[in-house]
Amino acid sequence: MAGAGKLRLGVNIDHVATVRNARGSAYPDPVRAAKLAEEAGADGITAHLREDRRHISDADIEALAEELTVPLNFEMAATEEMQNIALRHVPHAVCIVPEKREERTTEGGLEVAQDENRLAHFIAPLRDAGCRVSIFIAADRRQIEAAHRIGAAVIELHTGAYCDLHAEGRIKERDAELERLREMSAFAHSLGLEVHAGHGLTYDTVAPIAAFPEIRELNIGHFLIGEAIFRGLGPAIAEMRRIMDAARA
Ligand code: PXP
């Protein structure tokens, strides 16, 4: 797309840790996966330290913060515990996500509009410490405006609904969701926010999102780690990169 900047790929390595933790072993090591992802063309590494530590551990975050040469995007809930961890490591970026113990993954975006004061106070020290603060939200004008008001530098748009509709073959609804994502990317960009997107993206769903000129970064995990079983992690990432770059061209 003319004028569109480079589209960054953040690789989420949470599910390498999920496999490790299934057996309580020391392998596979998510830090090794992160380094391989770097070599394969990832522009950043994303990891979500959940309250229940179901995948990524505190030691993983410590090792990632020390050993990565690309930026670390630390996904976290808006809790005091996570804020303290982020302030200890000062990762390049923090992405604030909603978190419920009973969910399998991050199922919806953050409700910023109804929690504006608390979130504004919550992100201020992170921003002051030098982290780029991103807020994970649905493609909803009210939430984007609220994210802007609280002083976030970045929003990440939740692409899960679009990907689910695609998988279910609900093409008209999928296209309506895609249109909503397109409009809201442009709206957020017009407010001066940097726009990222992610959740549920695959080789089949990534191209239309990658083509939005306002989007600067995609964060992709579950599909890539699954695909790595068949192709290896490096080739799985390289193919995602190829599709993203072709969509952008
Ligand atoms: N972005 C955010 C904010 C997320 O919470 C997740 C899932 O941890 C992702 C991107 C990546 O989603 P997926 O693993 O489905 O590619």
Side-chain angles (χ1 to χ4, degrees), residues 119-183:
L119 286 169
H121 282 103
F122 184 82
I123 69 170
L126 296 165
R127 208 182 38 211
D128 293 347
C131 300
R132 274 182 82 66
V133 177
S134 170
I135 311 280
F136 189 44
I137 50 176
D140 179 297
R141 185 177 291 265
R142 219 168 51 94
Q143 302 299 342
I144 294 169
E145 286 169 343
H148 181 240
R149 276 196 301 270
I150 67 170
V154 182
I155 56 154
E156 179 165 331
L157 294 176
H158 197 309
T159 51
Y162 154 71
C163 293
D164 287 347
L165 290 165
H166 178 85
E168 291 160 16
R170 293 158 64 187
I171 301 307
K172 262 179 81 172
E173 290 153 282
R174 176 201 67 187
D175 289 348
E177 181 62 20
L178 193 59
E179 193 46 39
R180 199 158 74 98
L181 285 161
R182 185 197 316 280
E183 282 172 14

Side-chain angles (χ1 to χ4, degrees), residues 12 14 75 95 97 105-106 136 156 198-201 219-222:
N12 182 318
D14 291 349
E75 282 185 14
C95 181
V97 302
T105 178
T106 314
F136 189 44
E156 179 165 331
H199 210 281
L201 292 170
N219 284 300
I220 308 180
H222 183 245

Side-chain angles (χ1 to χ4, degrees), residues 110-124:
L110 196 68
E111 176 49 67
V112 195
Q114 280 176 21
D115 204 11
E116 232 179 282
N117 269 339
R118 187 180 80 89
L119 286 169
H121 282 103
F122 184 82
I123 69 170

Side-chain angles (χ1 to χ4, degrees), residues 20-232:
R20 175 192 63 192
N21 294 3
R23 290 289 294 271
S25 56
Y27 59 86
D29 176 13
V31 180
R32 183 175 167 199
K35 289 182 179 164
L36 228 160
E38 279 185 22
E39 283 166 27
D43 301 293
I45 297 296
T46 294
H48 183 178
L49 184 65
R50 292 188 74 106
E51 184 201 3
D52 62 7
R53 310 298 198 270
R54 68 176 68 160
H55 38 57
I56 293 294
S57 69
D58 297 68
D60 293 330
I61 292 296
E62 204 163 311
L64 289 166
E66 271 177 26
E67 294 181 37
L68 287 183
T69 57
V70 294
L72 172 63
N73 175 30
F74 178 54
E75 282 185 14
M76 55 180 254
T79 65
E80 201 183 319
E81 181 198 16
M82 292 302 151
Q83 189 189 51
N84 287 334
I85 294 169
L87 289 173
R88 199 158 61 239
H89 296 298
V90 193
H92 169 81
V94 296
C95 181
I96 312 296
V97 302
E99 192 175 301
K100 295 193 208 94
R101 255 175 200 260
E102 63 274 17
E103 70 190 357
R104 266 187 294 177
T105 178
T106 314
E107 281 162 15
L110 196 68
E111 176 49 67
V112 195
Q114 280 176 21
D115 204 11
E116 232 179 282
N117 269 339
R118 187 180 80 89
L119 286 169
H121 282 103
F122 184 82
I123 69 170
L126 296 165
R127 208 182 38 211
D128 293 347
C131 300
R132 274 182 82 66
V133 177
S134 170
I135 311 280
F136 189 44
I137 50 176
D140 179 297
R141 185 177 291 265
R142 219 168 51 94
Q143 302 299 342
I144 294 169
E145 286 169 343
H148 181 240
R149 276 196 301 270
I150 67 170
V154 182
I155 56 154
E156 179 165 331
L157 294 176
H158 197 309
T159 51
Y162 154 71
C163 293
D164 287 347
L165 290 165
H166 178 85
E168 291 160 16
R170 293 158 64 187
I171 301 307
K172 262 179 81 172
E173 290 153 282
R174 176 201 67 187
D175 289 348
E177 181 62 20
L178 193 59
E179 193 46 39
R180 199 158 74 98
L181 285 161
R182 185 197 316 280
E183 282 172 14
M184 290 304 108
S185 299
F187 174 61
H189 185 255
S190 77
L191 294 179
L193 289 160
E194 184 171 313
V195 187
H196 300 177
H199 210 281
L201 292 170
T202 67
Y203 295 153
D204 287 342
T205 49
V206 75
I209 302 284
F212 299 169
E214 297 85 5
I215 292 193
R216 299 306 309 270
E217 178 176 306
L218 299 179
N219 284 300
I220 308 180
H222 183 245
F223 174 80
L224 286 175
I225 302 307
E227 190 64 14
I229 295 169
F230 306 105
R231 307 184 185 228

